[in-house]
Amino acid sequence: MKKPKFIGDYVKLSGELQHLPSRVRIFDTTLRDGEQTPGVSLTTEQKVMIARQLDKLGVDTIEAGMPIVSPGEKQAVEKIAKTGLNAEICALARCVKEDIDAALDCDVDAIHVFIATSDIHLKHKLKLTREQALEQAVRFVEYAKKHGVVVEFSAEDATRSDVEYLKKVYRATVEAGADRVNVPDTVGVITPRGMYHLVRQIKEVIDVPVSVHCHNDLGLAVANSLAGVEAGAEQVHVTVNGLGERAGNAALEEVVMGLRIFYGLKPKVRTELLVETSDLVERLTGVTVSPNKAIVGDNAFAHESGIHVHGVLEFPGTYEPLSPELVGHHRRVVLGKHAGARSVRSQLEEMGIRPTSKQLKLITQKVKELGDKGKKVTDADLRAIAEHVIGALPPEQKTVELKEITVTTGSTITPTASVRLSIKGEERVGSATGVGPVDAAIGAIRNVMKEISGLRLKEYHLDAITGGSDALAEVTVKLEDERGNLYIAKGVREDVVIASVEAMINGINRYFARRK
Ligand code: MN
């Protein structure tokens, strides 16, 4: 054995990766299992948008839905199948004739058929004996296969099934024509070591590609998926942002980067589109990605501690295991109580402010004081502190100014807003309706300003500063441009709508200032 340089090399050099496949297929089920996330429901148009993005990203298979579920679902699967994408388009079906017929109607490339094999599912859900389930699985794999589609067979709840019986089912379905078999950890109850051994045993009795489908109930979906690959699995089921039933599925972005970083396996996915894909799915499903989410979270490449920022500014590899550009992210330095002079200076320089070292020391001290009070130090705060220390700074360029806003709302009318803006001295008027007055007002600004079509409202947050109905409302918006730059801006007014508009316009001005 070669001598390992780092602890991590022990695995690579131990010979325990002898079963690693040379290539791993990425089977994306964002539109099927991901859409089964509680509270998520997508329209056909939204599903097609996501499918196009997944295709651009380069996944091998897109599981578009389960056509038997509803006419809308069927229509969406059909539309995706007819969009002419490069990816294999797959539909899910139970081992039931109507399900498979509905999938065939959609003209998909592949059908993913499944039946449960665990005693707990057989007894309480299907009311079938093991023999009946086996017979049904074989019959419907044969039926689907007869229609010339690729067939992937799943033994639902595989990880809680009797292993000998499970192997028998997989062997029989492969003999019946299944092109791939999938091993679902339906309720997320296996460990990486368990998954490794299960996949090994299955691979010993069949010769078609094996896939794994892991759930995150105990936070192990990605680890279990990678363990499956270590045991030789040639395909992984994933969802963007780890969406999926209950605690979700293995996250696409984490599995793809894990395969690359740990094993040097490069699925045919354009990793630089991972953040863009995550953002689209976040926006369309309404499921917010937590800031500390691996790979795609807002903080995945953000640094606050002074020591860390110092290291990263010298050499990113000190505190970044992979470079943000590789996944389409960007590095961000956040100021707070851990801030060091270096990070404060780098933030100020971005604003075009160059303090002397004495001034820098004072500014840093004040940033830390704010941080100690538990406050987030925004760009606006930093600018105000710098102004206080250095003296008057050149006025912030204001490209856009609000001249007038009128909003009508009520329980019986559609909220409508009209705005008059001055943009570089030119006046523009426009209006919009919305689900509420704030939505209408922001819509009106967007309608007047085509220049901000690439700018999206990533977060909207409302705080009441004082109690009572006359409280000051503080609105914070987080805007994001096409290149992933974030603009955080605030508006403070007694009127929630005007505070929102003010925050929006402050953010837009910041965006224009940066573009210059
Ligand atoms: Mn699932």
Side-chain angles (χ1 to χ4, degrees):
M1 188 174 126
K2 235 176 92 189
K3 214 172 161 208
K5 198 167 168 201
F6 303 115
I7 289 290
D9 292 343
Y10 275 101
V11 180
K12 281 185 204 151
L13 296 171
S14 64
E16 280 172 35
L17 293 182
Q18 56 184 315
H19 301 296
L20 207 64
S22 54
R23 190 177 121 63
V24 175
R25 296 184 90 250
I26 299 297
F27 180 109
D28 182 278
T29 181
T30 306
L31 295 174
R32 201 278 299 167
D33 215 327
E35 210 212 3
Q36 286 169 229
T37 300
V40 171
S41 178
L42 298 164
T43 64
T44 298
E45 288 67 36
Q46 290 173 326
K47 282 193 144 198
V48 172
M49 270 173 86
I50 293 175
R52 282 186 189 281
Q53 179 69 26
L54 290 169
D55 196 51
K56 184 172 149 201
L57 182 69
V59 303
D60 295 279
T61 300
I62 296 172
E63 185 164 54
M66 189 172 181
I68 197 72
V69 163
S70 73
E73 175 93 351
K74 189 172 173 184
Q75 189 202 17
V77 175
E78 214 171 338
K79 193 128 185 231
I80 292 168
K82 288 193 170 66
T83 302
L85 304 176
N86 290 315
E88 173 188 271
I89 306 301
C90 181
L92 182 69
R94 288 170 299 182
C95 285
V96 172
K97 187 170 179 296
E98 293 71 37
D99 281 37
I100 295 173
D101 287 342
L104 288 167
D105 282 349
C106 298
D107 209 12
V108 288
D109 306 307
I111 299 184
H112 173 199
V113 295
F114 74 98
I115 194 162
T117 49
S118 67
D119 290 336
I120 186 168
H121 275 231
L122 288 173
K123 182 173 167 215
H124 299 287
K125 186 181 80 174
L126 297 178
K127 324 265 185 226
L128 292 177
T129 64
R130 288 186 183 181
E131 288 66 35
Q132 287 168 324
L134 173 65
E135 187 269 330
Q136 208 167 314
V138 167
R139 180 149 40 106
F140 288 103
V141 165
E142 276 172 357
Y143 179 72
K145 202 57 216 167
K146 223 168 49 196
H147 292 84
V149 286
V150 168
V151 173
E152 177 162 331
F153 171 76
S154 269
E156 190 188 10
D157 208 16
T159 51
R160 290 194 299 180
S161 302
D162 175 84
V163 182
E164 288 313 313
Y165 171 63
L166 186 65
K167 288 200 280 192
K168 200 165 142 187
V169 173
Y170 283 131
R171 220 170 15 210
T173 48
V174 169
E175 273 166 28
D179 300 280
R180 299 189 290 259
V181 300
N182 178 48
V183 185
D185 182 24
T186 304
V187 288
V189 289
I190 207 163
T191 63
R193 203 167 265 244
M195 194 53 148
Y196 181 90
H197 287 289
L198 181 58
V199 171
R200 283 307 318 141
Q201 292 204 43
I202 292 163
K203 285 205 71 88
E204 262 161 37
V205 296
I206 58 157
D207 52 9
V208 299
V210 171
S211 170
V212 289
H213 174 112
C214 301
H215 274 273
N216 210 29
D217 297 74
L218 285 139
L220 291 175
V222 172
N224 288 337
S225 303
L226 296 180
V229 172
E230 285 192 5
E234 293 97 340
Q235 179 180 277
V236 183
H237 281 204
V238 293
T239 58
V240 175
N241 297 339
L243 293 179
E245 299 202 73
R246 307 181 311 280
N249 290 59
L252 181 150
E253 55 279 6
E254 295 173 26
V255 168
V256 166
M257 293 319 292
L259 288 173
R260 180 162 172 155
I261 285 169
F262 303 133
Y263 316 111
L265 289 169
K266 290 185 183 168
K268 125 185 147 13
V269 163
R270 291 170 60 195
T271 59
E272 71 277 12
L273 300 180
L274 285 171
V275 168
E276 176 185 307
T277 308
S278 160
D279 283 351
L280 177 78
V281 170
E282 177 182 36
R283 192 166 75 232
L284 297 182
T285 58
V287 180
T288 315
V289 172
S290 77
N292 62 335
K293 165 80 176 63
I295 316 288
V296 294
D298 276 352
N299 290 353
F301 298 92
H303 308 276
E304 180 181 323
S305 148
I307 300 161
H308 284 213
V309 172
H310 179 96
V312 163
L313 292 178
E314 286 291 334
F315 181 71
T318 50
Y319 288 102
E320 283 175 0
L322 52 117
S323 82
E325 296 78 25
L326 186 61
V327 297
H329 215 314
H330 56 284
R331 182 172 304 122
R332 201 158 52 85
V333 170
V334 180
L335 297 179
K337 70 173 174 185
H338 301 106
R342 280 183 65 97
S343 46
V344 173
R345 181 163 58 203
S346 103
Q347 290 287 89
L348 287 171
E349 276 173 3
E350 260 189 43
M351 297 176 183
I353 303 167
R354 287 172 209 287
T356 64
S357 50
K358 208 171 148 192
Q359 289 167 336
L360 180 64
K361 209 172 150 191
L362 259 168
I363 297 169
T364 308
Q365 195 187 321
K366 288 191 185 291
V367 166
K368 282 176 176 288
E369 278 167 19
L370 265 182
D372 269 336
K373 286 181 193 147
K375 275 207 67 169
K376 279 178 274 180
V377 184
T378 63
D379 283 4
D381 295 328
L382 181 62
R383 201 181 160 86
I385 294 169
E387 193 152 29
H388 182 76
V389 171
I390 302 173
L393 296 171
E396 252 188 300
Q397 293 280 357
K398 283 210 173 92
T399 313
V400 187
E401 247 181 291
L402 177 69
K403 291 289 183 192
E404 198 184 319
I405 178 158
T406 318
V407 181
T408 48
T409 186
S411 56
T412 54
I413 58 165
T414 307
T416 308
S418 53
V419 292
R420 188 156 62 84
L421 299 177
S422 153
I423 298 147
K424 291 181 207 148
E426 171 210 345
E427 289 219 347
R428 291 191 210 167
V429 190
S431 61
T433 57
V435 294
V438 171
D439 186 44
I442 291 176
I445 298 175
R446 282 196 173 280
N447 279 347
V448 204
M449 297 194 64
K450 295 294 168 229
E451 299 94 326
I452 59 161
S453 58
L455 200 61
R456 89 180 172 90
L457 181 60
K458 205 173 152 68
E459 250 175 74
Y460 172 95
H461 190 82
L462 171 68
D463 282 310
I465 296 180
T466 48
S469 60
D470 60 348
L472 273 180
E474 181 183 280
V475 171
T476 310
V477 294
K478 199 193 262 184
L479 303 172
E480 189 181 42
D481 68 16
E482 308 84 338
R483 296 158 84 191
N485 297 311
L486 292 176
Y487 306 90
I488 299 167
K490 279 186 197 303
V492 183
R493 291 296 187 106
E494 283 89 357
D495 185 305
V496 177
V497 179
I498 298 177
S500 307
V501 168
E502 198 176 76
M504 225 16 226
I505 288 181
N506 287 341
I508 293 169
N509 277 319
R510 198 152 291 167
Y511 166 66
F512 283 123
R514 176 153 190 158
R515 281 217 308 191
K516 270 187 213 146

